[in-house]
Amino acid sequence: MNSRTYHIGLLKAIRIPLGAVVLGFCLATGRVLPQTLPLSETLIDLNSTEGETLLIESQARNDYLPLSIHFVTQDNLAYCGVASIVMVLNALSIPAPEASEFGTYRIFTQENFFSNAQTKQVLPAEVVSRQGMTLEQLSQLLESYPVQTKVFHGGDVTLEEFRNLAVKNLQEPDNFVLVNYLRKAIGQESGGHISPLAAYNEQTDRFLILDVSRYKYPPIWIQAEDLWQAMATVDSASGKTRGFVMVSPR
Ligand code: CA
């Protein structure tokens, strides 16, 4: 007997209608929580008919496949940068250290990413777990592995410059864009966040962000201007505006 058959059998045996069980659960918990938080009307969930259409019609989605293959959820509340870096390093096939949980297999994880002495020197895992990272630290942590980066602060680039740079990258293989933005500025909760860009839809002028806090929000399509404004906000940890980092192999 499988577990479902057993469960249904048990309910029949104790003669409790299924509806009563569900209602009892709702009352016991007070309310039923969705798995992710609701999105503001300005954002489009990738996992919707509209979101899917935007991806199919996108002319700049070269990075979507390699990133989606390596899409991970950040390991803790401050690890958005680490999760984003790990996705990009794996998507670029950068030689990875062994991951102890996978025997002798090699892949970047959010744990073994810090096994490199040079990485720890930039910022140890304990510090990132506590306070996250700034845009400059994101770039330095990436460069502790054989990749090169270019940092752009949101306050230093026009919307047009950002759009041109990001779209060109999304049309090219073997390079990626990580964005650092203020969630509050796009109607999300609430602080600074980092995630990879995966595609651009020209007709709607929207970018696709593969949000690494997958317990909290789905991947979203966001207006280029809204993202640009959210990147032009000041990060109090650095005193500079947030922005984006371009990454390619060294
Ligand atoms: Ca690219």
Side-chain angles (χ1 to χ4, degrees), residues 34-247:
Q35 284 193 298
T36 53
L37 299 176
L39 289 179
S40 98
E41 283 178 9
T42 56
L43 303 172
I44 299 170
D45 187 342
L46 171 64
N47 189 19
S48 66
T49 307
E50 194 180 3
E52 186 185 3
T53 304
L54 293 185
L55 183 61
I56 291 166
E57 293 177 355
S58 164
Q59 299 296 309
R61 53 175 164 146
N62 224 305
D63 295 353
Y64 176 79
L65 197 60
L67 286 174
S68 63
I69 288 168
H70 295 287
F71 198 5
V72 293
T73 305
Q74 63 187 80
D75 277 355
N76 63 51
L77 292 176
Y79 257 30
C80 52
V82 180
S84 301
I85 293 173
V86 161
M87 283 173 66
V88 164
L89 293 178
N90 284 326
L92 287 171
S93 300
I94 301 297
E98 282 181 10
S100 57
E101 62 270 51
F102 306 130
T104 55
Y105 290 102
R106 292 171 174 269
I107 189 165
F108 283 101
T109 67
Q110 292 167 65
E111 195 179 342
N112 75 9
F113 169 70
F114 287 99
S115 62
N116 178 350
Q118 209 187 323
T119 310
K120 278 186 268 199
Q121 216 169 7
V122 175
L123 213 55
E126 309 79 68
V127 176
V128 180
S129 296
R130 234 181 9 253
Q131 63 194 40
M133 64 183 72
T134 64
L135 192 64
E136 253 85 24
Q137 288 165 339
L138 172 67
S139 155
Q140 290 162 6
L141 285 167
L142 275 158
E143 290 197 347
S144 66
Y145 287 92
V147 296
Q148 54 187 344
T149 65
K150 199 156 184 210
V151 174
F152 298 87
H153 286 280
D156 299 340
V157 290
T158 64
L159 169 60
E160 198 181 0
E161 286 167 339
F162 160 62
R163 188 192 288 111
N164 289 343
L165 286 165
V167 171
K168 182 171 181 288
N169 186 297
L170 292 168
Q171 288 170 332
E172 296 169 346
D174 300 324
N175 57 18
F176 294 95
V177 188
L178 298 180
V179 286
N180 174 208
Y181 55 101
L182 182 65
R183 278 199 188 279
K184 202 161 47 183
I186 64 166
Q188 292 191 328
E189 296 179 9
S190 59
H193 192 54
I194 297 168
S195 280
L197 282 188
Y200 173 76
N201 181 284
E202 195 178 350
Q203 286 79 23
T204 59
D205 195 23
R206 283 178 184 267
F207 284 99
L208 174 64
I209 299 176
L210 292 185
D211 193 327
V212 293
S213 61
R214 298 201 286 181
Y215 49 86
K216 191 170 166 188
Y217 288 112
I220 51 152
W221 286 100
I222 179 172
Q223 286 283 343
E225 185 169 7
D226 292 347
L227 177 57
W228 172 69
Q229 280 176 351
M231 293 191 301
T233 51
V234 175
D235 179 354
S236 60
S238 66
K240 297 178 180 171
T241 50
R242 296 179 173 87
F244 57 101
V245 178
M246 316 278 254
V247 192

